[in-house]
Amino acid sequence: MDVAAKDAAIARFLHEYPKAADTGRGHPVLNGCEEVRWSDFAECPAALPVLLYGLLDQAAAAAAQRVLTNTLFSIAEMNPAMPEVLPFLLRLAGDPQVPERSGLL
């Protein structure tokens, strides 16, 4: 999936769950995720934090996880942004209040 397709998938996610991006904003485990220049990584959309925030939204968590997985993994390889996103995912997985937490593990 190229960056345009990933951007489109994130836009569809936001269309379906418009409040998801605001749900996780300000959560301590995601501090700093907006400062990462995600688009500097090959094949990584700049809007990746939207999906991380969506993981904290009860209604949107499963969809956010699916889109995030499709954004970061292809059949042949892992996205080069994975070392940057992994600490955020590990902190989310360690928070018992995160919906779909077991899927992150």
Side-chain angles (χ1 to χ4, degrees):
M1 183 181 324
D2 65 9
V3 175
K6 293 173 183 180
D7 283 334
I10 292 171
R12 284 189 301 275
F13 169 78
L14 281 173
H15 180 73
E16 190 170 343
Y17 302 99
K19 296 179 182 179
D22 294 330
T23 301
R25 201 172 300 275
H27 194 284
V29 300
L30 295 178
N31 283 343
C33 75
E34 286 196 16
E35 282 76 44
V36 176
R37 295 182 57 138
W38 298 105
S39 60
D40 285 353
F41 297 98
E43 301 299 318
C44 188
L48 189 93
V50 166
L51 300 174
L52 294 174
Y53 295 143
L55 293 171
L56 291 159
D57 183 284
Q58 187 70 39
Q65 186 174 339
R66 180 182 45 77
V67 176
L68 183 64
T69 298
N70 291 339
T71 298
L72 293 175
F73 296 98
S74 70
I75 293 173
E77 62 190 3
M78 187 181 322
N79 189 288
M82 197 60 185
E84 286 292 326
V85 78
L86 190 57
F88 296 112
L89 294 175
L90 290 173
R91 289 192 296 263
L92 285 166
D95 184 340
Q97 301 300 315
V98 173
E100 303 291 325
R101 175 179 162 221
S102 62
L104 294 175
L105 297 172

